[in-house]
Amino acid sequence: MPRVSSDGVSISYERDRGDGPAVVLLSGLGFGRWMWRWQRDGLAGYDVIVPDTRGTGRSEAGLPLLVPRLPRRLRSRLLRSRFRYGVEGLAANLEAVLDDAGVYNAHLVGADLGGMIALQYALEYRRASSLTLIGTSHGGVDAVAIDEDVPAQLLSTTGSPRASTRERLRPVFSDRFTNRNPHLLDRIIEWQREYGAPDPALEAQLGALESFDVGDRLEEIRVPTLVIHGSDDRVIPVWNGRLLDIKLPASQYFEIEGGSHACGVEHAEQVTDRLLSFLRELEATPASV
């Protein structure tokens, strides 16, 4: 896997080279790049880049040396506040990846924290051709707040490591999906244990998500944007997607009825088809090239 140094931290990324435009897939909170396996199949022929978010997969965490060794309760409090990641820094990591890859125009596709990185990137840098925001919020006081019990679920340490991972996935998927797909869920648990963020990095990423706020800057984002949200999202409530569509100047909205937070997995075909339709619309419009 290629690597690039950004702010003293090594960031890794995968690349599926194709003759089509560049598409960058930005993973959600703590999730490994496995979460895009369905979309990557659909994007065959595009130049697909999938970074490991800082602290995830093979990317370094870059946390203060002693903080990850502190007792869990104290560590989590510090990593979600004083020592949290900033979305600005994660956007700078993305800029370093695109520069290293020699990509000057890219369609950015992000889920929750990845969508926030895409929004921040579009505000601060110039390589974004379009945005696709899946289960994302603009943050701040105008956003619909995450239910107060969700962060505790996402950081659950119930039972064995495998049992904890299963518990952390509960708010991400619908009960119907988990009940009907036990074998796939077992595989997802193993993928997440192998490629997901370890707890200190997960806590620092959660701090970035919780502190994000670009609600008063959305009118500055002029690139075409597709907003996708599941109506039954238990992590980022669906009104956040609707608000993004209202506030962004050049957006279109696709709501998945009954869709969960992880709609890119649970409703992979719908999400992939809508994403491909959006990209093809842009390719057919000379002004968007």
Side-chain angles (χ1 to χ4, degrees), residues 29-275:
L29 176 69
F31 276 80
R33 59 188 178 276
W34 65 263
M35 71 171 291
W36 298 110
R37 61 191 304 122
W38 295 270
Q39 283 71 47
R40 288 173 79 168
D41 287 344
L43 289 165
Y46 286 87
D47 187 7
V48 179
I49 296 172
V50 192
D52 281 337
T53 309
R54 181 173 175 173
T56 306
R58 297 183 183 179
S59 289
E60 293 178 347
L63 295 170
L65 289 177
L66 296 179
V67 175
R69 304 177 187 176
L70 294 171
R72 181 176 180 274
R73 185 173 297 179
L74 175 60
R75 180 196 72 209
S76 182
R77 186 160 62 246
L78 288 172
L79 287 174
R80 290 170 65 184
S81 56
R82 181 178 177 184
F83 296 110
R84 67 175 181 257
Y85 295 150
V87 175
E88 298 90 342
L90 299 177
N93 295 161
L94 173 58
E95 172 71 357
V97 166
L98 295 182
D99 190 57
D100 185 70
V103 170
Y104 299 100
N105 294 283
H107 302 287
L108 306 184
V109 182
D112 61 70
L113 178 60
M116 295 175 180
I117 296 169
L119 284 166
Q120 189 72 50
Y121 186 90
L123 288 166
E124 305 297 339
Y125 301 97
R126 298 184 178 273
R127 301 180 201 242
S129 300
S130 74
L131 308 180
T132 298
L133 311 174
I134 305 172
T136 301
S137 168
H138 58 61
V141 295
D142 293 334
V144 179
I146 299 172
D147 287 346
E148 60 182 19
D149 62 330
V150 167
Q153 288 181 283
L154 297 175
L155 298 174
S156 173
T157 55
T158 301
S160 67
R162 197 173 190 284
S164 294
T165 302
R166 181 180 292 273
E167 187 65 22
R168 292 176 183 190
L169 293 172
R170 287 190 184 280
V172 175
F173 294 104
S174 70
D175 293 338
R176 179 177 180 178
F177 176 81
T178 56
N179 292 335
R180 292 189 173 190
N181 299 277
H183 299 300
L184 176 56
L185 186 63
D186 285 342
R187 293 177 68 190
I188 287 172
I189 289 169
E190 293 308 315
W191 291 332
Q192 185 60 9
R193 289 184 63 201
E194 182 174 0
Y195 300 111
D199 283 0
L202 173 61
E203 291 156 359
Q205 288 185 20
L206 181 58
L209 183 148
E210 291 173 324
S211 62
F212 182 68
D213 181 6
V214 293
D216 60 351
R217 298 188 63 191
L218 294 181
E219 64 181 16
E220 300 174 37
I221 299 176
R222 299 290 174 173
V223 296
T225 302
L226 170 63
V227 179
I228 300 176
H229 222 107
S231 65
D232 294 347
D233 191 327
R234 289 187 280 176
V235 178
I236 307 289
V238 66
W239 259 106
N240 289 291
R242 296 169 184 167
L243 286 170
L244 282 170
D245 181 49
I246 291 168
K247 294 183 178 185
L248 285 164
S251 68
Q252 51 184 275
Y253 183 66
F254 180 59
E255 186 169 307
I256 299 176
E257 183 63 32
S260 67
H261 183 64
C263 57
V265 177
E266 189 166 340
H267 302 273
E269 186 173 350
Q270 289 186 62
V271 170
T272 304
D273 288 350
R274 190 66 193 86
L275 171 60

